[in-house]
Amino acid sequence: MPHQASRPRPLTGRVPASAIRCTTLPRLDPALLDRARALPDLTANISDAMDELGLRGVVPASCMACQLPGARIAGQAVTVRNTERTEGVAASVASGRGLMGEHEAYNQADPGDVVVIEGLDGVSNLGGQSAMVASRSECAGAIIDGGFRDPEVSRQLGFPIWSRGPTPITGKWRLQTVEINGSVRIAGVAVHAGDLVAADEAGIDFIPHAHALAVITVAERIASGDTRQQADIRNGISPAELASTKYK
């Protein structure tokens, strides 16, 4: 369901302009995003809907865990692709040039967007100051296929991060941002800028932009059936009757 595209804005200079693949993301209807956020069992309802529609795009928390207990978000992806620097740490330090550019993603984001980073494992792709800028830009949270650091800062901000885990090792001398708002791979799942992202303590769902309406519509039906089933269980339905009742 396309909606009004976000407006271009002045660039930060953190990455070359040629590395920014899109500055006007196709926008989903805000009402659809609200419907996603209202799902009672967010990622599970959506995961079941994606199964029903033959779509792949779910990453369990056992692979990339939520670092903020109780967090749940749904928003559109702004993407970052990082790669390893080739010159080595000593040469990078000597150059004095940091090549991390995730701040440009925050600059491109609208409030409620989710930062999705294809990064390096064991190395920080997002640190405390970066989390502060993302939070100030009203990003809903970050998904990082790789490491991050300064976890106490993001916790204090209430800024949720899903990641391979925290690390003290800076990415400043070890990685470079090569693309903003292009295509990334997160735990083997292809994600494009503007896709719908839902995440909670169970894991992460990546829903292609073109399928967002269909997925949320099916997820709502599944959630309604789950709600009726739970009510029947609380009201003492017999196991035999429970087994024979169709809820979805």
Side-chain angles (χ1 to χ4, degrees), residues 211-227:
H211 296 283
L213 176 58
V215 168
I216 298 307
T217 300
V218 173
E220 288 172 330
R221 173 175 55 77
I222 290 170
S224 177
D226 286 348
T227 299

Side-chain angles (χ1 to χ4, degrees), residues 87-124:
E87 65 268 39
V89 173
S92 297
V93 172
S95 76
R97 293 180 63 242
L99 300 178
M100 295 178 69
E102 76 280 4
H103 284 229
E104 184 59 53
Y106 315 147
N107 181 49
Q108 296 297 322
D110 281 1
D113 284 349
V114 180
V115 182
V116 179
I117 302 176
E118 177 185 334
L120 276 63
D121 197 12
V123 171
S124 176

Side-chain angles (χ1 to χ4, degrees), residues 38-212:
L39 290 166
D41 196 358
L42 179 61
T43 59
N45 293 152
I46 291 175
S47 178
D48 288 352
M50 293 178 75
D51 281 347
E52 189 169 315
L53 294 168
L55 299 172
R56 178 179 175 272
V58 180
V59 178
S62 58
C63 178
M64 293 174 58
C66 178
Q67 307 295 321
L68 186 67
R72 65 192 320 267
I73 61 173
Q76 290 188 253
V78 289
T79 63
V80 178
R81 185 163 64 88
N82 292 333
T83 61
E84 187 174 4
R85 291 177 67 161
T86 59
E87 65 268 39
V89 173
S92 297
V93 172
S95 76
R97 293 180 63 242
L99 300 178
M100 295 178 69
E102 76 280 4
H103 284 229
E104 184 59 53
Y106 315 147
N107 181 49
Q108 296 297 322
D110 281 1
D113 284 349
V114 180
V115 182
V116 179
I117 302 176
E118 177 185 334
L120 276 63
D121 197 12
V123 171
S124 176
N125 297 263
L126 185 155
Q129 287 88 337
S130 187
M132 291 175 69
V133 176
S135 179
R136 188 186 66 184
S137 298
E138 299 184 66
C139 295
I143 313 293
I144 307 170
D145 193 348
F148 78 106
R149 73 175 190 173
D150 307 320
E152 70 283 356
V153 175
S154 56
R155 281 196 299 267
Q156 290 168 4
L157 291 167
F159 182 74
I161 294 172
W162 285 256
S163 167
R164 298 278 183 182
T167 176
I169 302 171
T170 182
K172 182 176 181 180
W173 313 120
R174 294 171 172 84
L175 63 80
Q176 58 184 337
T177 298
V178 296
E179 191 173 66
I180 300 289
N181 278 346
S183 176
V184 296
R185 294 193 71 82
I186 305 297
V189 176
V191 183
H192 302 277
D195 284 352
L196 177 57
V197 182
D200 59 19
E201 287 188 294
I204 310 157
D205 301 319
F206 296 109
I207 305 102
H209 184 278
H211 296 283

